[in-house]
Amino acid sequence: PGCLLQFLSYLGACDRLLKQGYEEGQVEEAMEMFQYSEKKAAEFLHLLAQFNDMGFQQNEIKEVLLLCGNQREKALEELVMK
């Protein structure tokens, strides 16, 4: 039963993130990267979209966000220096 509850909460989290307009592949990837923490995945997706809009490359953004633990200012500094 524990696995089923975890799975249902994962689906609920994915659904909420998808409704915010994020792509399914990105949502699943973010949820896996952050051990299914909806809060951390949401922060990551939000920053990914923000930095993407600024013109940074998505693979670089992902790398930097993971290194910086989703810290916006630190990640932005790293991206600008690349």
Side-chain angles (χ1 to χ4, degrees):
C3 288
L4 182 61
L5 285 175
Q6 283 179 323
F7 183 67
L8 290 173
S9 101
Y10 167 78
L11 286 179
C14 287
D15 190 50
R16 285 186 289 277
L17 292 168
L18 288 170
K19 283 181 177 152
Q20 291 175 43
Y22 300 114
E23 292 172 26
E24 192 170 348
Q26 288 182 334
V27 167
E28 288 170 2
E29 185 181 23
M31 287 292 283
E32 282 176 32
M33 284 193 298
F34 295 101
Q35 279 94 50
Y36 308 109
S37 161
E38 182 179 354
K39 184 178 184 284
K40 287 182 179 176
E43 286 171 1
F44 173 82
L45 290 165
H46 176 71
L47 291 170
L48 182 65
Q50 254 187 6
F51 293 144
N52 206 21
D53 288 346
M54 291 178 190
F56 295 108
Q57 294 297 313
Q58 218 170 61
N59 54 342
E60 285 182 0
I61 300 169
K62 286 179 186 177
E63 186 184 311
V64 166
L65 285 174
L66 280 174
L67 285 173
C68 298
N70 285 347
Q71 294 176 23
R72 188 185 188 284
E73 300 308 313
K74 199 172 171 186
L76 187 55
E77 256 174 56
E78 288 288 324
L79 285 168
V80 170
M81 289 194 305
K82 277 188 175 252

